[in-house]
Amino acid sequence: MDASQSAREPERPELTDKAGRYAPLQAILSRHERHPAGGSTIREVVFGANDGLISSLALVSGMAGATPNRSTILIAGLAGVVAGTVSMALGAFVSTKSVREFQESEEQRERYEIEHVPELEREELAEIYRQKGFAGAELERVLDRLTENPERWLRVMMAEELGLAGEVLNPYVAALVMGVAFALGGIVPVISYFWSEGTVALVTSVGLTAVGLFGVGCWRGALANSSWLRKGLEMVGLGGLSFFLSYGIGWLLGVSI
């Protein structure tokens, strides 16, 4: 490459090292292809922990605003954790099972159509790839390659026609992960009432919950490759809103009673 060509084609910073030289392709790909592990259960972990922290904080702060009785707050908090854990686990089980059953039903239908009306299925596939810009001999080569293996054909139709790609999480795993995540998050606002009471217990509860919410938010940010600080503060802000609303309602009800 001569000097004039180099001037016309500036180096792209993301592909170069600090010395201005092009980085090895393997290093670029290794950075590009880093994906977080445990992607299939991320939703259950984040949703369960977040809901456990906020709902339990709302319950405890509402009770603390209504009554200073430590035993009452502790019992209500623990009851809320147990009830929430069961509810979230059952909800995760039912919803995941429903999605899985729907996907299996659609897979059976597509498999039947591929076996019994392959001409219609091939035309459906052709229309999908025409919209992607394929035509003529190129389109026919793509169709021949995709339809030569029935299982490959089925996977393509599931993904391209129905938007159902990938395996759905096992309902029992979803229920277990969601329940455990909720329980671990839900117990955080309650534990301070095991050894303290009054303002000390409430402030400790709020502080521990804020730390938990900040941690969940930072994890969300890291998984999404976005600002972990912003996500963490966002979660803390939502928890603070929940606290003030619940405590205020509890205080008003306690005064009126």
Side-chain angles (χ1 to χ4, degrees):
M1 181 184 294
D2 57 26
S4 61
Q5 186 178 5
S6 178
R8 291 194 305 270
E9 298 179 4
E11 294 178 342
R12 292 187 294 173
E14 70 274 13
L15 298 180
T16 59
D17 57 22
K18 293 181 179 179
R21 298 167 302 191
Y22 279 100
L25 180 59
Q26 186 61 40
I28 297 169
L29 292 177
S30 67
R31 290 197 299 270
H32 177 69
E33 291 297 328
R34 280 182 192 152
H35 299 290
S40 60
T41 58
I42 286 174
R43 174 186 174 275
E44 281 69 23
V45 173
V46 173
F47 184 31
N50 175 67
D51 199 44
L53 285 161
I54 291 183
S55 63
S56 188
L57 175 65
L59 177 58
V60 168
S61 57
M63 292 298 298
T67 176
N69 190 289
R70 170 175 166 267
S71 297
T72 301
I73 298 172
L74 183 58
I75 292 171
L78 291 175
V81 172
V82 173
T85 298
V86 173
S87 175
M88 295 293 284
L90 291 178
F93 177 83
V94 173
S95 61
T96 307
K97 192 170 188 290
S98 299
V99 172
R100 194 169 189 174
E101 289 173 345
F102 171 74
Q103 183 163 322
E104 289 173 352
S105 173
E106 290 298 297
E107 183 174 315
Q108 290 176 2
R109 182 176 64 83
E110 284 296 325
R111 191 183 298 276
Y112 177 87
E113 292 176 350
I114 288 173
E115 292 175 355
H116 294 84
V117 285
E119 304 85 6
L120 295 179
E121 285 298 291
R122 183 183 172 97
E123 181 54 34
E124 288 181 1
L125 186 61
E127 182 58 31
I128 291 172
Y129 278 86
R130 285 192 193 100
Q131 295 178 9
K132 294 178 181 289
F134 292 88
E138 184 183 36
L139 174 61
E140 291 302 317
R141 285 196 299 271
V142 170
L143 294 177
D144 290 342
R145 178 58 60 89
L146 294 178
T147 59
E148 67 183 3
N149 183 299
E151 286 303 314
R152 181 194 301 153
W153 190 356
L154 175 63
R155 298 274 78 81
V156 171
M157 295 302 292
M158 291 289 291
E160 298 285 2
E161 182 184 16
L162 303 175
L164 299 175
E167 294 293 326
V168 179
L169 190 63
N170 184 294
Y172 294 98
V173 174
L176 178 63
V177 173
M178 181 72 82
V180 170
F182 183 95
L184 293 176
I187 199 64
V188 170
V190 181
I191 55 177
S192 62
Y193 283 91
F194 280 100
W195 64 76
S196 58
E197 57 185 327
T199 303
V200 173
L202 181 60
V203 170
T204 304
S205 174
V206 172
L208 291 175
T209 305
V211 172
L213 288 171
F214 186 76
V216 172
C218 290
W219 187 44
R220 283 180 54 210
L223 291 173
N225 198 27
S226 60
S227 172
W228 59 268
L229 179 60
R230 182 171 60 82
K231 291 292 185 182
L233 294 177
E234 178 184 277
M235 295 293 291
V236 173
L238 292 174
L241 179 62
S242 171
F243 165 75
F244 286 113
L245 288 175
S246 301
Y247 186 85
I249 292 172
W251 181 79
L252 289 174
L253 292 175
V255 171
S256 64
I257 293 173

